[in-house]
Amino acid sequence: MTTSAGDDEIYDGVLVANGHLWDPKIPDIPGEFTGKTIHSGSYRNVSDLEGDRILVVGAGNSGCDLAVDVAQHRLDADIVIRHGSWFQPKTYFGVPRQQVPFLADFSPSEQDLINRLMSRLSLGEWNAYPGMPEPEGATLAEGYAVVNDLLLYWIHHGRITIRPAIDRFDGKTVRFTDGTARDYDTVLWATGFNARLPFLDDDLFRWVGGVPVRYAGGIVTEAAEKLYFIGLIAPRGPQIPIYGIQTEIVAKMIEMHEQAGAQGAPLAGYLASLQEPETGIDVVRDRWLSQMADTERLLAAYALSSGDTTPSLQPV
């Protein structure tokens, strides 16, 4: 490995933890917008904006939060929503939705149904909100899910207006695919980030949809042994615990490499031969937990077949 200082070092393994929320993704739209543009990754508060006519592009969790921030500061907020989402309240019965006690008694698919039914009671149907597209996918797991009820509140109060996809820019005028147009002072991009590994050769990996193909719940790639990714995946829900869970698996794999001798063990190739490839960043948490449990199982089987008597990790 060559460092930025020009030093060459040899390491037994490399853990990559550069994150996936730092390289802004901005769509290529015809024309030129002559007002201010800012990506959500650089946004801190409304003082970053110019003027009072603001267009938020993107309706994930960040985009909806930003539109609410704009509206609550009494600025004129529009939001581009191209795909319908399942909106979920942040709380039920006065507690965060993830902490509702009785939900733990149900399977993930049953929780999905219960959450959709409770959301329907709390927020209503998608067509109760002017301009809102119908949710894509029959379930939360299959479609887009957004935890935000304030956006819907401000839509009902006329403080946020939904717009369709952008067709092109014309100075400060934004023309939409439904034939309408409006002038804006600032466009606030909430369009996500690119997954990038600038210190590694892109040709080293197989890429699908701008994401390197990985296995073991996003930890390893078939391209190289002893190369591990921490955090290059975002199962829906709390993110911090993910890093610890992945690191425990990596620690076990490093131990297995050390016990195999100087050449190490072909763990990445072994896992890639037995698991389905992971090509996403935003994934359903239940699916990711299944991947991690399968990885635990396969590593334990490999250890037994190779005579490794070290204790396995506890199931995820």
Side-chain angles (χ1 to χ4, degrees):
M1 174 180 290
T2 302
T3 69
S4 59
D7 300 322
D8 290 325
E9 299 286 350
I10 296 176
Y11 296 93
D12 291 329
V14 176
L15 278 70
V16 176
N18 68 316
H20 56 85
L21 298 174
W22 58 272
D23 185 44
K25 180 189 296 182
I26 297 178
D28 185 15
I29 295 175
E32 180 184 1
F33 182 72
T34 56
K36 182 172 183 177
T37 62
I38 183 171
H39 190 271
S40 60
S42 301
Y43 178 84
R44 295 297 176 266
N45 52 59
V46 292
S47 66
D48 295 328
L49 307 175
E50 289 183 358
D52 57 6
R53 299 170 300 178
I54 314 301
L55 178 65
V56 178
V57 183
N61 285 304
S62 295
C64 292
D65 284 344
L66 293 176
V68 167
D69 194 39
V70 172
Q72 291 185 157
H73 283 82
R74 307 196 66 81
L75 300 177
D76 191 355
D78 286 1
I79 183 169
V80 170
I81 303 182
R82 297 186 303 134
H83 304 286
S85 298
W86 291 99
F87 280 85
Q88 296 281 288
K90 291 195 173 184
T91 64
Y92 285 120
F93 314 113
V95 299
R97 56 192 296 275
Q98 300 95 331
Q99 297 176 18
V100 176
F102 73 84
L103 285 176
D105 297 330
F106 296 91
S107 69
S109 61
E110 291 170 336
Q111 290 183 33
D112 191 302
L113 173 60
I114 293 169
N115 274 306
R116 282 184 284 118
L117 292 175
M118 290 197 299
S119 176
R120 182 179 297 179
L121 288 171
S122 175
L123 303 176
E125 297 281 7
W126 59 275
N127 51 16
Y129 301 91
M132 184 71 72
E134 184 175 2
E136 298 182 1
T139 66
L140 299 178
E142 294 172 0
Y144 298 93
V146 175
V147 181
N148 190 306
D149 42 6
L150 285 175
L151 180 88
L152 306 180
Y153 173 87
W154 288 120
I155 289 172
H156 265 172
H157 284 72
R159 297 280 295 280
I160 296 176
T161 301
I162 297 174
R163 301 289 179 179
I166 298 173
D167 180 60
R168 66 186 187 278
F169 292 129
D170 185 8
K172 283 194 171 185
T173 302
V174 179
R175 304 190 184 279
F176 300 99
T177 54
D178 64 353
T180 61
R182 194 176 184 210
D183 291 346
Y184 296 95
D185 301 304
T186 298
V187 170
L188 181 50
W189 300 107
T191 44
F193 298 83
N194 299 303
R196 290 193 58 223
L197 305 166
F199 41 83
L200 298 173
D201 188 345
D202 283 350
D203 293 336
L204 182 64
F205 309 103
R206 183 161 57 99
W207 294 75
V208 175
V211 178
V213 176
R214 290 142 295 132
Y215 299 86
I219 293 175
V220 299
T221 171
E222 59 193 336
E225 293 288 349
K226 302 183 180 180
L227 178 66
Y228 313 98
F229 297 114
I230 303 297
L232 192 61
I233 196 164
R236 296 176 184 175
Q239 296 298 295
I240 298 300
I242 293 165
Y243 314 141
I245 293 171
Q246 288 186 316
T247 303
E248 287 184 350
I249 295 286
V250 170
K252 175 61 178 177
M253 294 176 72
I254 291 173
E255 185 180 7
M256 294 173 71
H257 277 300
E258 290 177 343
Q259 293 186 349
Q263 297 300 316
L267 297 179
Y270 165 70
L271 293 168
S273 69
L274 295 172
Q275 293 184 323
E276 292 295 319
E278 178 55 74
T279 60
I281 297 291
D282 174 26
V283 300
V284 177
R285 198 176 193 87
D286 181 54
R287 189 182 92 191
W288 179 75
L289 289 172
S290 295
Q291 292 174 347
M292 298 302 287
D294 185 62
T295 300
E296 293 269 17
R297 178 184 64 82
L298 291 174
L299 289 178
Y302 185 93
L304 286 174
S305 67
S306 62
D308 182 0
T309 58
T310 58
S312 62
L313 295 173
Q314 295 299 313
V316 175

